[in-house]
Amino acid sequence: METTAMHIANGIVDGPVSAVFAVLAIAALAVCVRKAGHDLDERLAPMAGLVAAFIFAVQMLNFNVLPGVSGHLLGGTLAVILVGPWVGALCVSTVLIVQCLVFSDGGVTALGLNITNMALLGTAAGYLLVAGLLRILPKTASGLAVTAFIASVISVVVASQGFVLEYALGGTTDLSLPWVSGAMAGVHVLIGIGEGLIAATTVATVAKVRPDLVYALRRFRKPVTVPEVGVTA
Amino acid sequence: MTKRLGWFLAGGLLVALLLAGVVSNFASSNPDGLDATAREGCTFNADGEITGGTCIAQQEGEHQLAGSPLADYGIKGIDNSFLSTALAGTAGVLITFGIGAGLFWVARRRSAQDQDA
């Protein structure tokens, strides 16, 4: 069997730093659950399950970016566009937890690190970029595709630098940080381009078939307005 | 949940199942960006064990659940790698959808209107 590990393994970052990030991840996910409750209606809840399942599937599809080096989608930006930032972070976390506990991918000790990078940092960066870009780009299928592409490339690089931060704080080996940062950023720009193409295709397809199911088209139009009635915060 | 949404979900799930169950067999088996960066600077033997050098992955430990039945996206005991990956991918999509949709459904906002729905 070839290499199938895709996330940070045990022992790469030391125990104390891994524990700190685990606590941080749990706290952030608790905030996401609270905020997500507001977004999750009867339409978004099953859609979010589908987004999680889709990200799981696409994460299995490693594509070559350099000779001997592959990459796969992380999914933060895709999730933000389809189901919003809070639910999106929970979707990516669900995928990472299933991968860790069922498929032995990504160390159990490293789960907080992986969630921090891909589900929190990647999704947060994706959200800020999507919200910003949709102020200038048209809210059409093609505008959404361009948004998804740009936001994906940058959010993947941001997620890769999350690892660099964790490695700087608790790396079990002593390599030069500028080298680690540069190597991670370089390869993740290429992975981000691949992710961007997948995310752009996916959101453009959903926007054409069911624009009403695209969170970014419904919610990023106006500042904070809740279209449904009967909501008391 | 409306019938139209049901059809969309079924279609989306089918696409995910095809990607994880069939297309996944054509995915690259090279180490990903993180793994490749982590291995740079070390030398490896045929089994993938580190034999020398300095790299990020040097102190890498075994996964706590390395012996689980679906470890490494394959099914333990199935030698045909195509079938093993296909079944593991299919199981993964269904498990992720089940857990995700279940939890999100429980956490959904219940407005007064939803009560009688």
Side-chain angles (χ1 to χ4, degrees):
Chain A
M1 198 68 197
E2 303 286 330
T3 318
T4 40
M6 306 195 290
H7 307 316
I8 304 173
N10 289 323
I12 293 199
V13 172
D14 69 27
V17 171
S18 299
V20 167
F21 278 96
V23 172
L24 194 97
I26 291 170
L29 290 180
V31 173
C32 289
V33 169
R34 279 191 57 144
K35 298 272 191 181
H38 187 75
D39 284 339
L40 283 167
D41 54 23
E42 298 211 336
R43 215 166 24 159
L44 199 69
M47 181 67 184
L50 175 60
V51 167
F54 187 79
I55 290 174
F56 175 91
V58 182
Q59 284 209 355
M60 284 183 79
L61 308 180
N62 283 54
F63 46 85
N64 281 335
V65 292
L66 288 169
V69 183
S70 73
H72 59 79
L73 172 126
L74 308 185
T77 303
L78 176 66
V80 162
I81 293 177
L82 293 177
V83 293
W86 313 109
V87 179
L90 295 174
C91 284
V92 180
S93 302
T94 305
V95 173
L96 295 173
I97 292 167
V98 169
Q99 287 172 329
C100 173
L101 298 182
V102 182
F103 296 93
S104 309
D105 183 14
V108 176
T109 319
L111 189 54
L113 306 169
N114 282 314
I115 288 181
T116 302
N117 297 339
M118 289 179 272
L120 301 176
L121 278 176
T123 306
Y127 171 63
L128 294 174
L129 288 157
V130 168
L133 286 165
L134 283 182
R135 285 180 184 205
I136 39 178
L137 291 167
K139 280 139 199 101
T140 58
S142 43
L144 211 54
V146 174
T147 301
F149 180 78
I150 298 171
S152 291
V153 176
I154 299 172
S155 102
V156 169
V157 176
V158 169
S160 83
Q161 297 306 300
F163 170 76
V164 179
L165 173 71
E166 293 157 355
Y167 181 77
L169 294 172
T172 52
T173 45
D174 226 359
L175 280 103
S176 133
L177 285 178
W179 177 81
V180 175
S181 175
M184 284 295 282
V187 69
H188 282 88
V189 168
L190 302 175
I191 294 172
I193 292 171
E195 162 147 359
L197 294 173
I198 298 170
T201 311
T202 307
V203 298
T205 306
V206 181
K208 275 181 191 151
V209 182
R210 286 292 303 268
D212 59 309
L213 290 179
V214 180
Y215 184 97
L217 293 180
R218 288 191 284 146
R219 305 292 172 97
F220 294 153
R221 272 179 211 277
K222 289 176 231 151
V224 198
T225 46
V226 183
E228 277 90 356
V229 286
V231 180
T232 44
Chain B
M1 199 165 72
T2 62
K3 208 170 169 184
R4 253 182 97 218
L5 180 59
W7 279 111
F8 179 84
L9 292 172
L13 212 48
L14 186 67
V15 172
L17 287 169
L18 286 173
L19 292 176
V22 182
V23 183
S24 61
N25 272 287
F26 303 99
S28 168
S29 54
N30 287 321
D32 69 11
L34 170 70
D35 207 19
T37 308
R39 293 155 68 100
E40 211 166 311
C42 282
T43 49
F44 295 85
N45 66 14
D47 292 331
E49 287 155 0
I50 293 173
T51 51
T54 313
C55 63
I56 295 172
Q58 218 158 4
Q59 307 288 328
E60 187 176 313
E62 180 88 340
H63 196 284
Q64 287 94 333
L65 306 167
S68 85
L70 293 173
D72 296 327
Y73 304 93
I75 306 231
K76 205 137 275 176
I78 297 184
D79 292 333
N80 181 329
S81 79
F82 191 97
L83 190 65
S84 179
T85 306
L87 291 174
T90 305
V93 167
L94 295 176
I95 292 169
T96 309
F97 180 75
I99 293 176
L103 290 177
F104 289 124
W105 188 255
V106 171
R108 79 187 187 282
R109 188 185 71 223
R110 284 159 226 247
S111 62
Q113 291 171 307
D114 297 342
Q115 296 294 318
D116 49 49

